[in-house]
Amino acid sequence: MNTATDNETPCRSYPTAAELLAEFPPPPPVEEWKFIEDLHYLQSENLHSNKNIAAQRAVSIINQFPDPDKRFSTALEHLTKTASNIRSSRNSRKAYQVFIKQGSTTCFEEYLLEVTPEMATVTANDCEGIRRGVYAIADMLRASQGNLPCGKWNRKPWLKTRISRCFFSPVKRWPVNTDELLDDVNYYPDGYLNRLALEGINGLWMVVALSELTGTSFTPRDPLADRRIAKLQQTIRQCARYGIKIYLFCIEPFSLHEDAPLVQAHPEMFGARIHDKRTFCPSSPSTRRYLEELTFGVFKQVPELGGLINITHGERPTTCLSSLEGTQNIPVKCPACGKRKHGEIIKDSLSAMAAGIKKAAPAAKLFAWFYCPLPEKHAPWAHTLGASVPPTAIAQFNFESGGEKRQLSRLHRGGDYWLSYVGPSRRFVRQAHAARKAGVAVSAKLQVGCGHELGTVPYIPVPELLYRKFKAMHKLGVEHAMFCWYVGNYPGLMNYTGGQLAFEDFKDAPRDFIRNLAETYSGGTDSKLWARAWEDFTKAYEHMPFSLMFQYYGPQNTGLAWQLSLYPYLRPLSPPWKPNFPPSGDAIGEALAGFSLSEALLLMQKVNDGWQKGMQWLKKGKILRCLNHELKLDLYLAEALSLHFENSVNLLRFYQLRSKLFSGVDEKASLQEMRILAEREANLSMEMMRLCKKDTRLGFHSEALCHRYYPSLLKQRAEHIRNVIIPQFGELENALESGKTAWEQFIARDDAPSIITQEAWQVAGKNCFAWRFLIDKDSFLLQIKKLEPTKNASTLAVYFIDAEGITFPLRLRFNWEMGQIALHDENWQRVIAYPTPLSASGQYDCLPENIASLKWPLDTLPAKNNRIRLNLCLGVQFAAGGYENRLYLDNF
């Protein structure tokens, strides 16, 4: 065996994400986010309606509700301005009177409306009930054009807490690690808060680290704590004027590195180890005292807080329970906690936190959020954690996690943070039942505006999906809801729908609810046309491929900025929620977990066809003449989404044709259709560029905290397609006519990938490791040899994808140490809940001279026309460069 231990590998190094990102124009700066001006200054009393409505009588507001602290004065001002837009068509008639009174009700936030020909009365017992009633009568005035329908209505909220988030506030996480409590920006201007209150939002969450707000007997006070608390108090006061409370979001107790001062000073507080971190041990009295002091210290300073939303388990390591996967039904890896039931660990942690909150702010709520997103089946203890929540707290679960959906005659699993999936998942149902049986209130974490499957628009106008979600929540006894993650929170139709549904009894059919919603939302402006469009949009959007990887990496998010490629370079796809990644490349298979390319294309074609059908209702001449500013934005949004979906279909079809071309099938016809699609893609980018100039919400991703497509980037893409990609079609066509294959033409290019044949050893980096492959009868044999720099490396990862990049990659990770090698995990199991074709058929052995031997049947590999793309990592990657830290795709 000869290994070239002093030679560089012949494999090409690929650009990093940062290097590629530098080749594109930067996104617009904050000063160009014009949507912020709308949120500041757009007066909500004129939303969805036109000024100077002609009615039979003018409207007079008579307030008799006692409000010495003026807690609902903002709602009263909204109603007064709405009424002022109504002028009498008969000047001699007496004004129609609307009375606002206090009266007894059966629950908080309940209100009564009574409308007669002579007057209307809004009655409630508490300020928030009056607020809801006042907004409701204002909606009725707009929808009825000032001529209120007679009747009686008694509205009670079954969904008591409705929490959203600021669309553009800092996310306080890598790579945009900014803190809204340390700047002077007002993220909650009055116009914005009035809109949220009008839409039924009564809570907003902001991300914090509790240790930055207070000290304990174990930890010093942060030097910037006073500054943060002052800004927090100011925000609380500002939001309270609109009946909106602030909820702090955190992950506590957050695990610490071994060398952290608290770990060094109090080792008794820490239990299980996870990689290089130590988790807090709730079995320790010191840990429980620390947690109680932590929450008490925060809420003592700001008792007006609505509460705390804490990811207690699942997202990041917290307590010793984090040492287990949700799929593992074994004792916890801690000497103390390992002797206890899993739920007892959680109960100790939450009880301490709840005690601190209640001692300082008895009315504040603690939401214990159990984040269990993976599609794999969970152990029994993971389904009953809600029963371990203290009765004074609220158990919160993801509405979609573990969800299953039948598409194209197969069952698919899709993770969490979906809008297109109605749910609830069976996992949510089990968790909610366990909590309620134990007397614990339940909150649903769901996506109201949009989900990760399309998070680069403010919201998706599909209100019937919310109707079905909320009806299921109502049936399950859910009383609280967190409406969004960082995405899905822009005010508008979907927020408004959620607020209406919070008081709905679900006696009406969905269609009736949508028709009534359209009348109120549009202010009577062609409401039937809006309703018909939403119905078609809903039917279309449900066809979105239910796949975690398609959700994260599919073209429907940012495809209008994807860099089209005639040749299969397989440049990686990018996560749209991370601003430090360039536009996606052409490795479309990275998004196709659970679906073939043809299947994804079929489903997206259904989405696109249905959306275009819905658009026809919004292109009627009458509706276009009656649009006010807000409804114009809704129309721009619907048009933008039609471009998103056509673009998705085009990209999937383009790469399907490329696969045929490089397989030697219908070469001429494939090339001709690809050229047509490329030209259309250039035009689509320019069409979206024009829409983005009219509506700066488009392309903005609230988690990335920047635009992921924008005019300059869209223009560059169109120019690149026209100036670079289109000419390549002629070059390839000439090559095919001369007798070359598409592959031969590609491989001859200077920037083509390296070709590696069997048996020859290849060296990674500077003598880090060597590898080779052999064909052994009907098997593929991969051998890896550790060289000096990697002799202590214990993790080997192998990555396969088909040569044309149209199937989901296979990634296997092995533990290799002490002369033994074993499969540790694989990406398919994590994202689609069943193993790769390789895992069950693989043979893994250790040979002399630090060599590992991995063997699989050839027919289990994604090989096509005797070609496969491969990469390996053992301390370093063989094909160096590329993108780092892509969720479920590693660093390949």
Side-chain angles (χ1 to χ4, degrees), residues 99-134:
F99 290 90
I100 302 169
K101 299 180 176 182
Q102 187 172 35
S104 61
T105 55
T106 60
C107 68
F108 182 75
E109 212 180 14
E110 179 184 2
Y111 64 90
L112 298 91
L113 300 179
E114 183 174 0
V115 178
T116 70
E118 297 303 318
M119 66 178 185
T121 306
V122 182
T123 305
N125 184 49
D126 55 82
C127 183
E128 294 314 308
I130 279 292
R131 189 187 310 277
R132 292 291 114 226
V134 163

Side-chain angles (χ1 to χ4, degrees), residues 173 186 662 720 819 835 839-840 858:
R173 62 185 296 183
N186 178 14
F662 276 80
H720 179 76
S839 58
L858 273 173

Side-chain angles (χ1 to χ4, degrees), residues 355-372:
I357 293 172
K358 290 303 174 186
K359 191 185 300 182
K365 301 180 178 73
L366 170 60
F367 288 77
W369 183 0
F370 298 98
Y371 183 77
C372 307

Side-chain angles (χ1 to χ4, degrees), residues 28-139:
V30 176
E31 294 76 22
E32 296 179 16
W33 299 357
K34 299 301 182 185
F35 61 79
I36 295 181
E37 293 181 13
D38 273 355
L39 294 175
H40 271 75
Y41 304 117
L42 195 61
Q43 293 300 309
S44 59
E45 67 273 3
N46 295 327
L47 295 178
H48 325 303
S49 64
N50 293 304
K51 287 188 177 182
N52 298 321
I53 298 170
Q56 292 182 6
R57 300 161 71 177
V59 177
S60 173
I61 309 300
I62 302 170
N63 178 34
Q64 298 175 346
F65 187 91
D67 184 27
D69 298 328
K70 299 191 180 301
R71 290 178 298 162
F72 91 102
S73 60
T74 53
L76 185 61
E77 180 183 355
H78 168 84
L79 176 59
T80 302
K81 289 183 178 180
T82 300
S84 70
N85 290 332
I86 300 170
R87 58 182 174 80
S88 173
S89 59
R90 303 177 184 179
N91 294 330
S92 60
R93 298 199 65 182
K94 181 182 177 182
Y96 186 85
Q97 294 181 318
V98 177
F99 290 90
I100 302 169
K101 299 180 176 182
Q102 187 172 35
S104 61
T105 55
T106 60
C107 68
F108 182 75
E109 212 180 14
E110 179 184 2
Y111 64 90
L112 298 91
L113 300 179
E114 183 174 0
V115 178
T116 70
E118 297 303 318
M119 66 178 185
T121 306
V122 182
T123 305
N125 184 49
D126 55 82
C127 183
E128 294 314 308
I130 279 292
R131 189 187 310 277
R132 292 291 114 226
V134 163
Y135 283 132
I137 201 75
D139 284 345

